[in-house]
Amino acid sequence: QVQLVESGGGLVQAGGSLRLSCAASGRTFSSYAMGWFRQVPGKEREFVANINWSGGSTNYADSVKGRLTISRDNAKNTVYLQMNSLKPEDTAVYYCAGRMSTAVVITWLKWPGDYDTWGQGTQVTVSS
C-alpha cells in the first residue's frame, strides 16, 4: 500500500493559481487510481477530480471543470492538481487519495469510501 503526502497549498488571491502535488511512496503507484477531494469545516469531504492509473482518463466535479486539472507522473510517483482562476469558494483542505485499480473508466470513483489511502491534507485559502 502506498503512503501519500500532499504539498503546495497556501494563500492566494482570487483569480490566482496554485499547483498541489501528492507524492506517493511504494512501488505500486502506477497501479493506483488517484483522486483529489476537499473539505471545509462542518461539511462533508467532496470530490474534486480523479485520474486513472495511466493518466488517460480523468473526471471532474462540475464546480471545478475548466479551472482545475489533474495529472500524474508515474515515473515520479506523483499526482498533481493545477488550480487556475481560483475563487474564494475553493478555500478548503485538499486531500489526495488512492485506490488500487487498473480500470480504464473510473467515473464511479467519486466517493471518499471508494478510496483506501489518504494523505494528511494541505490548506488552500483564496482571498477575495
Side-chain angles (χ1 to χ4, degrees):
Q1 187 171 355
V2 300
Q3 293 185 324
L4 306 174
V5 178
E6 302 97 333
S7 62
L11 174 64
V12 64
Q13 289 188 333
S17 298
L18 282 174
R19 188 175 82 156
L20 306 184
S21 299
C22 174
S25 64
R27 294 177 292 179
T28 59
F29 175 74
S30 60
S31 298
Y32 273 67
M34 299 297 297
W36 285 97
F37 288 77
R38 65 188 182 187
Q39 189 170 25
V40 298
K43 293 190 176 182
E44 294 185 352
R45 195 167 295 188
E46 68 170 358
F47 170 77
V48 174
N50 65 15
I51 188 166
N52 75 342
W53 67 276
S54 68
S57 176
T58 59
N59 300 282
Y60 296 91
D62 288 343
S63 60
V64 306
K65 281 181 181 176
R67 301 187 299 116
L68 275 58
T69 303
I70 189 171
S71 62
R72 67 188 298 160
D73 185 338
N74 286 345
K76 295 183 178 179
N77 277 16
T78 303
V79 63
Y80 305 98
L81 186 67
Q82 178 65 43
M83 309 171 71
N84 298 330
S85 302
L86 283 163
K87 304 176 181 180
E89 51 263 44
D90 293 317
T91 296
V93 177
Y94 283 72
Y95 298 89
C96 71
R99 171 197 172 106
M100 184 167 282
S101 170
T102 54
V104 173
V105 177
I106 56 168
T107 53
W108 51 281
L109 283 177
K110 293 185 175 179
W111 303 100
D114 293 329
Y115 295 82
D116 50 30
T117 301
W118 291 85
Q120 83 288 352
T122 186
Q123 176 71 47
V124 171
T125 303
V126 184
S127 64
S128 58

